[in-house]
Amino acid sequence: MAAKRSVLIVLTSAGLLAATACSGSTTGNGATPTASAARLTTTTAPGSSEVDRIAWALPYGEPTTLDPAKIGDYSPQTVEANLCDTLTRMNADFSLSPGLARKVAWTDDRNLVLDLRPDVTFWDGSPMTPVDVIHSLERQRDPRTQALYGNYLAAVTSIEATGPHQVTLRTEKYDQTLPKALSTSFGAVGQKAYAEKAGAAYGSPKGGLMCTGPFKLGSWKSGTGITLERNDAYWDTGLKPKVKQIEFRFITNNNTLTGALLSGEIDGTYELPPTSATALARADNGEVHLGPSTQNVLLIPGNAESPAADRKLLDALSLVIDRDALIRHVFGGDATTLKSLVPPLTWSGDEAAAQFDAAYAALPEVPRPDVEKAKALVAQARPAGRPLVAAIPAGDQRSLQALTFIQAAAKKIDVDIEIKQLQPTEMSSLFYDPSVRRGLDLILTFGYVTMPDPASYVAESVTPRGIFNWTGYDNPDVNRLLDQARTSSDPAASAAAYAQAQALFTPTTPAVFLATTHERMFMNERISGAPTSFAYMGMPWAAHLGGTAK
């Protein structure tokens, strides 16, 4: 890659994921794709008229925070993506385009320059300045913030204003992840003065936010809902919101959610449960939409001391789980099997996509059920001596059905699994708080990759400092190769390093790879314009909504 090549040009090709999702690929074990794959779309028809109010459901419950530095779950990201704009912007097709920075470019291997838009204002009318950008990034590596994404700044030595509308990040070495991360909540910009005044309460119902997005935080009533109000002074004139007010409601019961969508009490939701999708398939007031996704469904041990951390036991569980049946019965066919940690859609638009595809194809096929072989592995594994406690969020029917399916399969090899349902806030916290994971042997996770960069996602799970590395997995060769993938400015060399790392960690990291699901969304016919792809998590999706006059 040329030293002065704009990263926005490089990353524009990171989109077009929907095209590959519908191109006739096979599932990981060689089966044909589900019929639903042919119906994947990235967005819906534009809504043309203004709408006074919409109600949108959050099936994973109330956010624990809306602070961009701390959000790492479905509910908070669904809301926050409409509040705090990012320096680069994710699009519905997973491509990246300019955001608060009109240009992002490496001038050499150690200087990433952000040319900021001069006309951006916060909700209170004050201008966004380099000071706000620098503060938003720097607070991510301040221990007092307890941020989730400070690792993205690992190679950054300084962040300085180098012009009235310019910020330069100086690094120890080239870091291909850094500019991509600016499209996630890591790259969200808040007002420095407001954040400092709010202190630890920033992003909470009491502390609030001060950002630049198309909607502003109106009210947050704990246990009830969050209301966003349209930002009539929004800087992006091409994305002026048509919806005046959005009310987010916390509905974690599938039956309640289905009834609210059928009655029109709720206009829409992302992450629609499979059981609700079946009931809503013939709804006369709206439609179920399917989109491409980078979500992964994994079964992972909660801590290193658990018997479930033994890879032999995990391999045994993997050998008795019929993934095709799991996808058919639990996910309604709206998924495909998964060979490794990262779904292939993650790299679909990369310049070296063919290399990534070839390396993924070379991985061992997803195993067919083999009870006898699984029993032999159990005999070699660390003895449990008790039921394994497996956690899922309370009220999530999809998780309960999936884990019940796994529980039944495990009984075939005399492994008992006890299902523990955690309240949504507790379930969300366990991903980042080790104390919550004490006493949990297994966790069924519905994870996701937020940007077109497989190496950075994997690093969080398999390197010693990774926030999702709960068992202390450490392979020096994997660490070295992932570092090469991150620091190489040559896309082919980066892909080659990742491929080598993938071949090493896939068979050894403590995890059972189950499936990659499609995004499933329901929307009332009176509105349209929402993206249907999983990219909604990182873009101001509600600003695309409008009325249909139906």
Side-chain angles (χ1 to χ4, degrees):
M1 182 174 65
K4 294 187 178 181
R5 189 176 184 183
S6 168
V7 74
L8 295 181
I9 296 175
V10 174
L11 296 182
T12 296
S13 63
L16 305 178
L17 301 189
T20 58
C22 306
S23 63
S25 61
T26 60
T27 58
N29 57 10
T32 55
T34 60
S36 64
R39 296 186 284 121
L40 300 186
T41 59
T42 57
T43 191
T44 54
S48 58
S49 59
E50 290 207 347
V51 179
D52 287 334
R53 174 187 165 278
I54 68 167
W56 202 268
L58 297 176
Y60 282 98
E62 183 171 6
T64 54
T65 181
L66 292 177
D67 181 347
K70 299 179 181 180
I71 61 172
D73 203 356
Y74 291 91
S75 288
Q77 289 196 239
T78 301
V79 178
E80 187 272 343
N82 298 290
L83 295 170
C84 301
D85 281 324
T86 51
L87 289 158
T88 58
R89 176 176 286 170
M90 181 73 74
N91 302 311
D93 65 354
F94 288 84
S95 64
L96 301 183
S97 60
L100 295 176
R102 58 184 177 82
K103 182 181 178 183
V104 176
W106 290 96
T107 55
D108 55 46
D109 283 354
R110 295 191 177 185
N111 287 276
L112 182 65
V113 177
L114 318 180
D115 289 326
L116 308 177
R117 296 182 186 276
D119 55 348
V120 177
T121 60
F122 291 104
W123 300 327
D124 65 0
S126 63
M128 182 192 77
T129 69
V131 170
D132 301 301
V133 174
I134 293 169
H135 177 264
S136 297
L137 293 173
E138 286 285 11
R139 72 184 291 267
Q140 308 240 14
R141 55 181 173 186
D142 184 339
R144 294 172 298 178
T145 305
Q146 296 182 319
L148 302 179
Y149 309 108
N151 188 48
Y152 290 144
L153 295 170
V156 175
T157 57
S158 67
I159 308 174
E160 300 175 355
T162 48
H165 302 292
Q166 188 181 83
V167 171
T168 297
L169 284 70
R170 293 188 170 87
T171 64
E172 295 175 350
K173 51 190 174 182
Y174 181 88
D175 182 0
Q176 61 96 16
T177 294
L178 186 56
K180 298 175 185 177
L182 296 177
S183 68
T184 71
S185 57
F186 164 79
V189 177
Q191 187 186 72
K192 177 184 178 182
Y194 187 98
E196 289 182 334
K197 183 177 180 180
Y202 188 68
S204 71
K206 180 181 178 180
L209 294 164
M210 181 55 65
C211 292
T212 66
F215 292 90
K216 50 189 176 181
L217 185 60
S219 65
W220 183 349
K221 298 179 180 178
S222 294
T224 302
I226 296 173
T227 300
L228 307 189
E229 306 288 345
R230 181 170 68 185
N231 176 14
D232 289 320
Y234 188 45
W235 62 270
D236 188 348
T237 57
L239 196 61
K240 290 282 188 180
K242 296 183 177 69
V243 176
K244 296 179 182 178
Q245 184 183 80
I246 305 173
E247 181 184 353
F248 288 100
R249 297 188 192 173
F250 320 133
I251 305 179
T252 57
N253 182 278
N254 290 0
N255 292 332
T256 303
L257 175 61
T258 302
L261 291 168
L262 282 170
S263 69
E265 177 187 352
I266 298 295
D267 292 298
T269 186
Y270 286 106
E271 310 312 321
L272 182 72
T275 52
S276 298
T278 300
L280 291 161
R282 292 183 174 85
D284 58 9
N285 67 333
E287 184 179 352
V288 176
H289 302 269
L290 294 176
S293 174
T294 56
Q295 297 178 82
N296 56 7
V297 186
L298 309 171
L299 188 66
I300 54 180
N303 56 79
E305 290 71 36
S306 169
D310 189 328
R311 180 70 203 220
K312 290 186 177 68
L313 179 58
L314 292 175
D315 284 341
L317 289 173
S318 181
L319 279 168
V320 292
I321 298 172
D322 185 338
R323 289 163 175 80
D324 289 337
L326 176 71
I327 289 170
R328 187 167 58 251
H329 296 301
V330 176
F331 302 127
D334 296 333
T336 56
T337 53
L338 184 65
K339 285 181 162 187
S340 188
L341 280 170
V342 177
L345 287 177
T346 305
W347 58 71
S348 180
D350 194 278
E351 290 183 50
Q355 284 180 256
F356 282 109
D357 286 338
Y360 187 82
L363 292 173
E365 298 295 346
V366 172
R368 295 288 188 182
D370 188 332
V371 175
E372 294 308 313
K373 186 175 180 181
K375 285 183 177 179
L377 286 171
V378 170
Q380 301 171 32
R382 186 190 318 171
R386 58 173 175 78
L388 300 176
V389 179
I392 56 171
D396 181 4
Q397 195 65 23
R398 179 179 65 168
S399 293
L400 180 59
Q401 289 178 335
L403 194 50
T404 301
F405 184 97
I406 294 167
Q407 181 187 53
K411 286 184 178 181
K412 297 177 183 178
I413 53 174
D414 300 321
V415 174
D416 293 325
I417 293 178
E418 175 187 320
I419 298 175
K420 184 173 184 178
Q421 300 190 50
L422 304 180
Q423 292 304 308
T425 53
E426 190 177 12
M427 187 70 189
S428 180
S429 297
L430 74 78
F431 287 91
Y432 311 104
D433 185 349
S435 67
V436 181
R437 296 194 297 273
R438 292 190 191 121
L440 299 178
D441 296 295
L442 292 166
I443 298 163
L444 181 66
T445 69
F446 288 78
Y448 51 86
V449 186
T450 57
M451 58 180 170
D453 182 33
S456 63
Y457 177 87
V458 166
E460 296 294 0
S461 297
V462 305
T463 58
R465 294 175 59 187
I467 57 175
F468 302 132
N469 183 359
W470 302 336
T471 61
Y473 178 88
D474 187 4
N475 183 320
D477 289 331
V478 170
N479 301 338
R480 173 180 54 80
L481 289 164
L482 288 177
D483 184 66
Q484 288 180 14
R486 181 167 179 167
T487 58
S488 176
S489 58
D490 178 2
S494 178
Y498 176 79
Q500 293 178 59
Q502 179 182 244
L504 293 174
F505 70 71
T506 297
T508 57
T509 189
V512 178
F513 317 122
L514 296 172
T516 175
T517 58
H518 305 323
E519 177 54 44
R520 189 188 290 109
M521 181 264 282
F522 178 86
M523 186 168 55
N524 193 289
E525 66 178 359
R526 79 184 187 98
I527 56 175
S528 191
T532 54
S533 74
F534 192 69
Y536 83 89
M537 291 277 281
M539 62 181 289
W541 58 268
H544 293 266
L545 288 171
T548 62
K550 291 184 180 180

